Amino acid sequence: MEKTNAARLLSAASIAYELIPYEYTEDDLSATHVAQTLGEDIERVFKTLVLRGDRNGLFVCVIPGNFEVDLKLAAKISGNKSCQMIHVKELLPLTGYIRGGCSPIGMKKKYPTFIHESALLYDYIFISAGVRGLQIKIAPADLIGFVGAEIYPL
């Protein structure tokens, strides 16, 4: 299996991870599908969301697959008054990733990143490797340190 940009960056930083392939379909790119396919708890499969704040621009929230982002809280923790998810058409030009394959590692620019506090409950979590059909299994502390994320109860 070919390494993604996210995997190459982790390898270059000597951070331990595993690449885990899974079957996907265009009509179900959900974290629930990923968790079921991997045979893992949905709470360990994290999704990467890109939002735009009214004051500080773009930022990233990494939350468990069974959660919805609380926009009011996301705005508050990112120093904004309000925020909204970016439109799916903006995802590729702004991050270099597509829907269903967005990783918090290796975006085109370094955006402020906030990871849900529940990640710290586990010895490993799953995040997108940057393409559909491939996940990175990584220790939460390693991910947090590598992307410079802050922990919040999103």
Side-chain angles (χ1 to χ4, degrees), residues 57-133:
L58 297 178
F59 64 99
V60 177
C61 290
V62 182
I63 63 173
N66 60 333
F67 280 40
E68 294 296 323
V69 68
D70 179 332
L71 293 176
K72 286 185 180 185
L73 181 57
K76 182 178 177 183
I77 66 170
S78 63
N80 291 285
K81 218 174 178 181
S82 66
C83 67
Q84 62 184 21
M85 296 280 296
I86 64 168
H87 193 280
V88 71
K89 290 179 183 174
E90 295 179 279
L91 193 60
L92 182 59
L94 292 172
T95 68
Y97 293 123
I98 60 172
R99 182 177 165 268
C102 187
S103 179
I105 300 169
M107 290 188 181
K108 284 184 173 183
K109 289 178 70 177
K110 185 168 175 45
Y111 299 114
T113 301
F114 304 94
I115 297 180
H116 191 268
E117 64 188 357
S118 67
L120 297 175
L121 299 174
Y122 305 105
D123 53 344
Y124 65 88
I125 60 172
F126 295 90
I127 58 167
S128 175
V131 294
R132 293 173 180 168

Side-chain angles (χ1 to χ4, degrees), residues 9-21:
L9 291 168
L10 290 172
S11 292
S14 299
I15 293 176
Y17 69 93
E18 284 181 61
L19 286 175
I20 311 291

